[in-house]
Amino acid sequence: MKTDAGEIWGRHPHNIFDGSVPTASQLARMALPVLQRDFVGPCGRITHLQGREVVRTAGLEIMPHSDEDECHLQAVYFPNGPELEPSKDLQEQVNRYGANAFAICNPDWRSSGFGKCLMPWETHAKYWIQPHRGLLVAFDARAVHFQKTYMGDAPFMQVLLNIKVERHNG
């Protein structure tokens, strides 16, 4: 990923989970069993993993988008960021708005023309997540997500895990 361009979408095709990056392979070995157990469950199985790194410098943001055309389940791993404080509640540290915040929204977040309509029982939803070192956030790839402008001094990296799944028994 180029870090000197003003547009974060200037990426070249590659897959960091192809075995050529040992730390990416280690991340996949650790994350996939948890994602299978906690997100896919016994009614399906993970069939494909593809991913890339996103490196941002000060002033770059990730605009609202969904990745439903690329995968079914998406996860974002943050190897950078502040350390989690073990003595504090995880939810209080992570589920908050702040610098470099990551947001996940239901598909209709921006306007009725951007995404899908809500069902009568659904409400508009946006969840803010504060990136921390070692945090893995997984969500339905149909969800609109984005990240506030990064304002740090050193480059900030995150790893995207694009996961395809298939259902058992239809």
Side-chain angles (χ1 to χ4, degrees):
M1 181 66 103
K2 292 173 59 176
T3 60
D4 57 353
E7 180 58 62
I8 197 69
W9 308 114
R11 56 189 179 205
H12 63 278
H14 67 289
N15 181 8
I16 63 168
F17 297 111
D18 65 2
S20 63
V21 181
T23 54
S25 297
Q26 180 182 7
L27 173 61
R29 282 192 304 274
M30 295 172 71
L32 288 178
V34 174
L35 294 169
Q36 173 68 51
R37 182 189 71 218
D38 295 345
F39 287 88
V40 177
C43 294
R45 70 180 183 93
I46 293 173
T47 60
H48 182 73
L49 170 65
Q50 182 274 334
R52 62 183 157 266
E53 74 286 354
V54 174
V55 181
R56 294 186 297 142
T57 55
L60 291 178
E61 68 181 310
I62 298 174
M63 300 302 290
H65 66 285
S66 78
D67 291 300
E68 64 185 310
D69 293 338
E70 276 190 57
C71 56
H72 303 114
L73 176 65
Q74 190 164 59
V76 180
Y77 176 73
F78 298 100
N80 299 80
E83 294 288 337
L84 287 165
E85 179 61 49
S87 63
K88 293 183 180 177
D89 180 67
L90 177 66
Q91 299 290 331
E92 289 178 14
Q93 294 179 76
V94 172
N95 293 345
R96 62 187 186 148
Y97 178 85
N100 199 28
F102 182 80
I104 301 173
C105 315
N106 59 0
D108 80 322
W109 171 71
R110 290 179 64 185
S111 72
S112 59
F114 179 78
K116 313 295 186 276
C117 295
L118 290 177
M119 290 291 144
W121 56 86
E122 294 179 307
T123 60
H124 297 278
K126 182 189 315 180
Y127 300 96
W128 287 104
I129 298 163
Q130 184 63 47
H132 282 77
R133 185 183 316 259
L135 182 66
L136 178 69
V137 178
F139 52 94
D140 186 319
R142 295 173 292 183
V144 174
H145 52 285
F146 62 96
Q147 200 156 357
K148 284 181 51 181
T149 304
Y150 176 62
M151 298 309 295
D153 295 326
F156 183 84
M157 187 170 97
Q158 55 206 61
V159 178
L160 306 179
L161 294 87
N162 296 324
I163 301 161
K164 290 187 180 180
V165 300
E166 83 179 3
R167 293 173 60 126
H168 291 303
N169 303 323

